[in-house]
Amino acid sequence: DRPGLGCSPPRPGPWLRRVDGIVEDLHAVLQSIGIKDQIVLVGHSCSGMDCRLFTHRYPNEVLGMVLVDTAHEGQLAQAEGTSIYNTYPTADATQEKLRRLSYLWGTG
């Protein structure tokens, strides 16, 4: 459960649902229930970022990770076209190519 959902009480005070908050909540839960052994984190989609940050902050508490089709930190910037990793054409460039093709085919 996440705070305020299912059987979990709401988190006291204001809280933004961000990766660092999720990681700190997970760490607090593991400590409160007495988990002392190293854990294996499993992340899917956006929770892959949670797993990687948790492992970065608490490397001695993590035995391993299983990442299944996870998002990455630069994904939003890539989708917006502002990432240095962005290799996809912009919407404007794609529209321009379609306009040129429609002109050549006589449909523009």
Side-chain angles (χ1 to χ4, degrees):
D1 288 343
R2 291 178 288 190
L5 299 174
C7 298
S8 296
R11 194 169 198 272
W15 183 66
L16 294 174
R17 187 97 182 127
R18 297 186 341 191
V19 174
D20 55 344
I22 293 167
V23 166
E24 294 311 314
D25 280 355
L26 175 59
H27 190 251
V29 166
L30 293 172
Q31 287 185 327
S32 71
I33 60 175
I35 300 293
K36 302 278 189 239
D37 295 329
Q38 289 183 311
I39 59 172
V40 174
L41 296 168
V42 179
H44 172 258
S45 191
C46 289
S47 67
M49 291 185 287
D50 306 335
C51 293
R52 289 194 303 276
L53 182 59
F54 189 98
T55 301
H56 176 74
R57 286 192 179 166
Y58 308 104
N60 296 329
E61 298 180 26
V62 178
L63 180 63
M65 289 187 291
V66 177
L67 302 175
V68 182
D69 195 20
T70 61
H72 58 83
E73 292 77 2
Q75 194 162 344
L76 181 59
Q78 186 173 359
E80 293 173 344
T82 58
S83 170
I84 61 171
Y85 304 107
N86 191 355
T87 58
Y88 300 104
T90 64
D92 290 340
T94 302
Q95 289 293 340
E96 178 60 20
K97 286 180 183 178
L98 289 174
R99 187 188 67 73
R100 288 179 185 175
L101 287 173
S102 66
Y103 177 77
L104 291 173
W105 290 333
T107 59

